[in-house]
Amino acid sequence: MPEIPRGTPAPVLYLQRPSTWLTWHGYLFRPGVRVLDLACGEGRHALRAAQRGAEVVGIDIDEAKLVTAREAAERLGVTADFRSVDLTGEWPNVGVFDVVLMFDYLDRARIEAVKALVRPGGVLLMETFLDWQKALGWGPTSAAHLLEPGEIVRLLAPFEWLHGREVFEPVEGNKTRAIASIAAQRPSG
C-alpha cells in the first residue's frame, strides 16, 4: 500500500460496505486464492477480497461503476482486474476460480455456467433477494430477480451447502431486506 505522508488526510472512499455475508466468510480470501466477482458493480466485494491478498477479477456491464472500482483499488493500494462484460451476452473465458462471488445478481438460465467457474473444491458465495422483498416496498419486484424460499439450495445442486440462511436483515437507515445467502462447495471429484 502506498505510504501517505504525515499530516495528509487519508482518502475517503464512498463505496457501500461489503455484505455481512462476505464479511463472515472473509477467511476464504488470502494470497494465492483466485476470486471472481460476477456483476461486481463498484467492486465493494472484490475490493475486500483484494485487501485480504486474493487475486481478483471483477466483471460488470456498467463501465462507470468499473471506473469507480478501479479508482477505489488504486486509492486502497490493491490490485484487481475489473473488466467490462455484458453478462447477458457471451462470456469470455476467464478460467476457474477458488471463490466465485455472486451478490444481488440472479440469472437462473446461466447458473450452470456460474457453477462451472468454480474449481473442484472451490466455493460459490451467493446472496440475492427473496420473493418476500416485494412486500417490503423497495428493491427488485420481478420474479426473474427474486428467489423463492429454499430455491437457492436447489439451484446450486450438486454443490455441498456449507452455510446458508434466508432472513430479513436490517440495512442502512430503517430499511430491511429479505435475502437468501449461501456458501456452497463444488464437489472435488
Side-chain angles (χ1 to χ4, degrees), residues 4 20 22 29 33 66-67 81-82 102 110 114 130-131 134 155 158 169 177-178 180 184-187:
I4 298 172
T20 302
L22 183 104
F29 312 115
V33 171
L66 293 172
V67 167
D81 178 6
F82 290 106
M102 200 161 92
R110 297 223 180 192
V114 170
L130 285 162
D131 184 59
K134 290 187 287 191
L155 278 176
E169 179 179 69
R177 65 184 186 151
Q185 186 172 36
R186 181 175 177 173

Side-chain angles (χ1 to χ4, degrees), residues 130-148:
L130 285 162
D131 184 59
W132 305 327
Q133 185 68 35
K134 290 187 287 191
L136 298 175
W138 70 277
T141 56
S142 167
H145 300 114
L146 298 165
L147 288 168
E148 293 293 325

Side-chain angles (χ1 to χ4, degrees), residues 18-75:
S19 164
T20 302
W21 192 247
L22 183 104
T23 302
W24 289 351
H25 294 88
Y27 64 89
L28 294 169
F29 312 115
R30 60 188 175 284
V33 171
R34 290 193 72 219
V35 176
L36 174 65
D37 188 357
L38 290 170
C40 67
E42 293 180 337
R44 64 190 176 124
H45 298 112
L47 291 166
R48 181 57 56 91
Q51 285 179 303
R52 297 188 64 109
E55 177 187 325
V56 178
V57 175
I59 59 177
D60 199 280
I61 192 172
D62 190 331
E63 186 58 42
K65 289 182 178 180
L66 293 172
V67 167
T68 299
R70 290 181 192 111
E71 289 172 356
E74 185 176 335
R75 292 175 79 182

